[in-house]
Amino acid sequence: MVRRYFPVAGFAGLVVAIQLATHFTGNSYHLTQLTMTAYYSLVIVGLCMLIGYAGQISLGHAGFFAIGGYVSAFLTTCDLKPYDGPFLSLLEKSGAVVSRQDFYGGSLLTVHPWLACAAAILLTVAVAYLVGGPVLKLKGHYLAMATLGIGIIVYRIVLGTDFLGAADGISEVPGFPLPAGLVITGDSALRVSNYYLAWGLVILGMILLLNLIHSRVGRALAAVHGAEDAAGAMGIPTARYKLHMFVLSAVFASLAGVLLTHYNGGIGPSEAGVMKSVRYVAIVAIGGMANLWGALTMSLVLNYLSLRGYFGTYDDTVFGAILILIMLFAPDGLLRRHLLSDLKRLVSRRDPEEEAP
Amino acid sequence: MTYGTIYAIVAIGFNIIYNATGIINFAQGEFVMLGGMTAVTLHQFLPLPLAILLAVVITMIVGAVIEIVFIRWLHKPSVLRMVIITIGISILIREISLHIWGEGVKALPYFTGSSVSSINMGGVYISWQVLWVVGIGALAVAGLTAFFNLTMLGRQMRACAANRDAARLCGIDAGNMVTLSFVLSAAIGAIGGCVVCPITYVQYDSGTPLAIKGFTVAILGGLGNSTAAVGAGMILGILESFSIWVLPTAYKEAISIAILLGILFVKPSGIFGSAEAARLKEF
């Protein structure tokens, strides 16, 4: 039970070590990319959960990321002034609508980021439920193509819709206020606190997922992954578990989209692009399909390198090549221990504490 | 019609490989792009027919190389693995093309006449190139049908598709047949890429949308059925042109994908496919 959290503590130590290292070497500007990496990692661990533990591929997660980012960005930047009335002033008193200044000093009346975030998550859940039902009935090529299709539809919509900024995307997105005076924003003065906020959130997400894996649900998912028909015959509602995992990982992606948009102060259509989805899958694949820590580590390394521009114009090529090489030579991923023994351990191990009366 | 034909051509490319191997080659659209791009480059110092011929041959070689390098030595790979590998291949081809040809939009000249000349067919003015596209599309389908039914090689390929082990017992080299299927589908894609290039233009990233539409058409017609793919290609082409009246042009691509999703949800065997044959496939 406690052993499960050792890697968590280790990772938290790594996060602190990286921050200290950047502080003492005077490279603290690297923290900006590392913070963005954290938000992308949130997508990755959610997707890893879906691919590795529920056995369902999704090539459309950039779409969910974009739904989160765009809804939040749109609601926090659109001006509600023209609709001013008793209803709106009521909302303003309750704090749901806030007035703030835009870039040029003009005053705007916009939705509060928390409310926008809630709306984004709700929309994601609705979309994921709606498409997840029929999509998850498919397998193999068909599932890959259908999820890819969903991603492309989102991409086309954000690219072709004027009020979403078309090809320019949405900018001037305000920061995301948190309790205790913290705020998620790209302001360089708040770089360190934002770094810890982002990675803290990732670690929180990891704890949630680790507990899920080691729970009844996790064991059921392992059974679904191993032999879906047999699991169904055992009385596990396979379709429902798959759908719930799909929605959960979509919410992870969407939340990452919301927060990264507030951090960056904007979002563009490229975030919804097919290459982004492919990149997420590539990182999950290289980390080991059913290995949350592997995926997280690879995400930290690759996203950071990519965001720092180490791959230059060959960025997409690098991820394409990674995909091919991994699938050809090490389909279980690089950071993978023995798949079979892992599954066995997952299925047969019982925590002594849970068995105690 | 023009768009419908090119979608049908891509779909047939999908079907050839699917029939021989059970793989969906997500890089199929890239063959079309490669064909068009190479032809444009070669046309700078070669006459048009020669440039197109050479472009098709080059694309065929690329298809063969892809099969030999990536596919041949994999034994019974999982579907998910194949999907990811072919997506990876398509990304690589696209990025390499970007570094070779840049981001510019390129086009071949019209085969006969020019972009403004047209002929009057029963009151409707049709550009010469459209006739070329439809004609060559029809020729390709007829040629393939003849190849699969009349020649020894075509029959051997079909035997491999039906039952690889049995075919091997009869002395057919199944591995070479798979290579051949990649070469054939690369050729079909490249021919399609060359004939539509004067109308639709070609760019380094024009492969992926084509692959998606080709896949839609292949599903719409029932995977593996090339004649049905032609009908389905026409249907999608027409639906797309109508969608522009109702919705902004920017959503055009979303329409065909929505159709794809709809078909996948309701009837994955395709509108022309039989439920019986579908039961044997993995969805």
Side-chain angles (χ1 to χ4, degrees), chain B residues 119-182:
Chain B
I119 54 164
N120 188 342
M121 285 178 81
V124 185
Y125 288 93
I126 295 176
S127 158
W128 275 105
Q129 193 62 32
V130 173
L131 292 181
W132 272 105
V133 172
V134 175
I136 288 180
L139 214 64
V141 176
L144 273 179
T145 318
F147 172 74
F148 278 118
N149 289 314
L150 301 177
T151 65
M152 197 61 195
L153 206 58
R155 286 183 189 168
Q156 287 183 350
M157 269 184 80
R158 284 199 301 152
C160 279
N163 188 333
R164 193 179 287 202
D165 293 331
R168 204 173 279 148
L169 283 176
C170 295
I172 300 170
D173 186 343
N176 282 345
M177 289 302 145
V178 175
T179 316
L180 190 64
S181 74
F182 269 81

Side-chain angles (χ1 to χ4, degrees), chain A residues 57 59 134-135 138-139 141-142 145-146 149 152 156 160-161 278 313-314 316-317 323-324 327-329 331, chain B residues 22 24 26 70 80-81 83-85 87-89 91 95 99 212 215 219 223 251 253 257 264-265 282-283:
Chain A
I57 194 175
L59 283 165
V135 157
L138 307 164
K139 284 195 183 75
H141 300 130
Y142 297 86
M145 204 67 202
I152 293 175
R156 282 289 147 188
T161 309
V278 170
T313 51
Y314 292 95
D316 288 350
T317 323
L323 262 190
I324 295 183
M327 282 298 131
L328 285 181
F329 300 112
Chain B
I24 293 288
F26 280 80
F70 296 113
L80 184 62
R81 234 173 123 190
V83 168
I84 295 180
I85 289 175
I87 287 176
I89 293 170
I91 293 167
E95 291 302 311
H99 282 275
I212 288 157
F215 188 81
I219 296 273
L223 208 51
Y251 295 143
E253 201 169 324
I257 297 163
L264 279 177
F265 294 166
E282 273 268 304
F283 291 112

